[in-house]
Structure formats: structure tokens, C-alpha cells
Amino acid sequence: MEEMVSIIVPVYRAAAYIAETIDMVRRQTYKDWELILVDDCSPDNSADIIQRMQLSHETERIRLIRKESNEGAAEARNTGIDAAKGRYIAFLDADDIWFPNKLEKELAFMKEKQAAFAFTAYEFGDENAKGTGKIVAVPEQLTYRKALSRTVIFTTTVMFDMARLTKEQIHMPNVESEDTAAWWKILKAGYMAYGLNEVLAIYRRPAKSLSSNKIVAIRRIWRLYRQEEKLTIPVSAFCFCMWAIRATLRRI
């Protein structure tokens, strides 16, 4: 595996972004990577764009996997995880932005901390991925208990050291808010998540994105507490209140 980073991107209705995503990865200052694009039966021409870029650039480093049926982002990422060859795995969503030194800085941070699981700070962007000035700072360390009340880990900033974790451990469950459920699963197993408090990514937030639907978000986080984590109602209520306060402050 050596030092290669496997970058996993679920692809669904990503035609407007996917060429930029591929170019963004190619511009990374850290060069030992493979890009795994998992086409989740996207109804647009995302796969055609990817294939054209494969022919134009490093065909072997840009890998397209086409699923036979649409199964959602969690299973698309899991497909990418299973196909990954690198020692490190990083997630990137097609509509988000990485700074050019994202991989280089996060990888150096992971080695310094001897971390199995790392994430970074990020900035909210508008529908054009232009930074809004709203920055989400991250803690130096995050345990399972602390993570329950703060969904501060943004999927596009995450990196794993697969010399310290198994692929099964980082598989995402097929539930709503699958990314948060995955982080909790890893942390609950006794791992620590280390936060690099430097903005290395932009979270694109279209005006009508699912994540902007507050009622949906509230229902999803409550279900995670009660159905996935099996927390009692009082503990769930406490964690939920703390989550709501922090989520609101991040957006002010």
C-alpha cells in the first residue's frame, strides 16, 4: 500500500461538477493518489465526462466504477472502499472543494499524530462554492462521547489510515445520515479522531440542498440517537440539545 491515498467520490447527478472535481484532485500538491469515482447509476452524463477525462489524463489513476443499480451514497462509498488500493482513504463529494494542499497537509498531520482517523476545518460556500466566511473550527481530538453532541466532522475532510483500520470498520451503514453513523461506529470501537484546525475544504451549500432542510436534519439525528445508538430518551435529549446549539452557532 505504501503511501498512496485512495480518494473516493460517489457520483450521482454530478455532471455540473465532476470535471472540476477531477481537475481539483489532479492539482493536489501530494501526487501519490488514485481517484475512484463510483457511478451510482447517475441519470445524467457524469460517466461520459469521466471517461473523456480518463482518456485525456492519467487513465490508470482515475478509476470509474459503474454500479448496476442505484443504492445511495453510503453503498457507493463502500464500493469505493472495497476497491481502494492505497494505505490512506479520503472521501470527497463531487460538489465540494479541496484546497490544493489538502492531501499534503492532512497526511503530514496524520503521521505527526499517528492517527487512524483525521478531519479538518472547513468553510461554508454558496452554490458556486465561493466561501461565505462561515468557518467551522474543529477540536484537536474527538471521542465517541463528545462526537454524539457535535456533528463537526465533514465527510469531504475525512482521511483514514488503513494500516490502523480495516475496510469493514469504515464501511458506512445504510441509514440516513450515514456519514455521522460511520464516524460514531469507528469512535465507539475505541479510536480517536484528530482534528486539524485549518480550513482545507469548502462545503458547497446550494439554496435547496437536503442538508438545508432543518426538519429533515432534526429527524435524522434523533433517529440515530434512538435507533442506531440505542441511547435512552434523557441521554438522547441532552445530546440533541447540544447538537442543535452547536449546529446553529456554526451557521451564524
Side-chain angles (χ1 to χ4, degrees):
M1 291 191 294
E2 299 185 357
E3 300 294 299
M4 185 168 70
V5 180
S6 297
I7 303 159
I8 297 169
V9 181
V11 178
Y12 189 77
R13 297 188 185 277
Y17 311 113
I18 199 65
E20 180 184 5
T21 302
I22 294 171
D23 282 337
M24 184 171 61
V25 171
R26 294 182 65 248
R27 290 194 299 268
Q28 286 292 302
T29 56
Y30 187 79
K31 299 300 183 183
D32 191 1
W33 52 261
E34 65 170 353
L35 178 59
I36 303 173
L37 300 134
V38 184
D39 175 23
D40 194 25
C41 293
S42 183
D44 60 15
N45 65 331
S46 296
D48 294 336
I49 295 171
I50 293 168
Q51 288 177 323
R52 286 199 298 269
M53 296 193 75
Q54 282 179 309
L55 293 174
S56 303
H57 304 302
E58 304 98 332
T59 306
E60 293 182 357
R61 300 176 71 197
I62 301 172
R63 301 166 57 192
L64 172 62
I65 298 174
R66 307 187 76 159
K67 295 183 69 68
E68 295 182 358
S69 60
N70 174 261
E71 296 180 306
E75 289 303 325
R77 292 193 188 99
N78 292 344
T79 296
I81 289 168
D82 291 338
K85 299 176 182 177
R87 169 170 173 173
Y88 299 91
I89 287 179
F91 293 140
L92 172 60
D93 283 350
D95 57 345
D96 294 326
I97 301 298
W98 275 357
F99 290 7
N101 57 357
K102 190 268 186 187
L103 289 181
E104 181 180 7
K105 288 205 166 187
E106 190 167 19
L107 187 56
F109 175 75
M110 290 194 77
K111 291 179 178 179
E112 175 191 342
K113 299 295 184 181
Q114 298 185 359
F117 180 4
F119 59 105
T120 80
Y122 62 95
E123 182 177 1
F124 285 115
D126 61 17
E127 60 187 9
N128 298 312
K130 181 179 179 181
T132 63
K134 296 179 181 179
I135 291 173
V136 177
V138 298
E140 292 183 6
Q141 298 180 351
L142 197 61
T143 63
Y144 171 69
R145 290 178 65 84
K146 290 181 179 179
L148 286 174
S149 60
R150 62 192 79 187
T151 52
V152 71
I153 301 176
F154 172 36
T155 306
T156 282
T157 74
V158 163
M159 186 181 287
F160 300 109
D161 182 352
M162 302 313 297
R164 302 173 186 273
L165 289 159
T166 67
K167 290 184 175 182
E168 180 61 31
Q169 285 176 308
I170 70 169
H171 273 183
M172 289 191 172
N174 194 13
V175 298
E176 293 179 323
S177 296
E178 71 283 347
D179 47 359
T180 298
W183 317 150
W184 290 354
K185 179 181 69 168
I186 296 165
L187 297 175
K188 193 174 183 179
Y191 292 91
M192 179 82 72
Y194 289 84
L196 172 56
N197 194 27
E198 180 175 351
V199 174
L200 296 175
I202 293 178
Y203 176 16
R204 189 195 303 258
R205 298 178 71 222
K208 295 183 179 180
S209 68
L210 286 176
S211 58
S212 68
N213 188 324
K214 304 302 185 296
I215 295 176
V216 171
I218 286 169
R219 288 174 177 167
R220 286 191 297 196
I221 196 72
W222 183 256
R223 288 194 193 105
L224 286 183
Y225 290 140
R226 297 289 290 136
Q227 297 177 13
E228 298 302 315
E229 300 307 306
K230 311 297 184 186
L231 302 179
T232 64
I233 290 178
V235 172
S236 296
F238 173 79
C239 292
F240 177 82
C241 288
M242 297 304 295
W243 166 81
I245 291 169
R246 291 187 172 103
T248 300
L249 291 174
R250 282 203 301 271
R251 288 161 172 78
I252 294 176

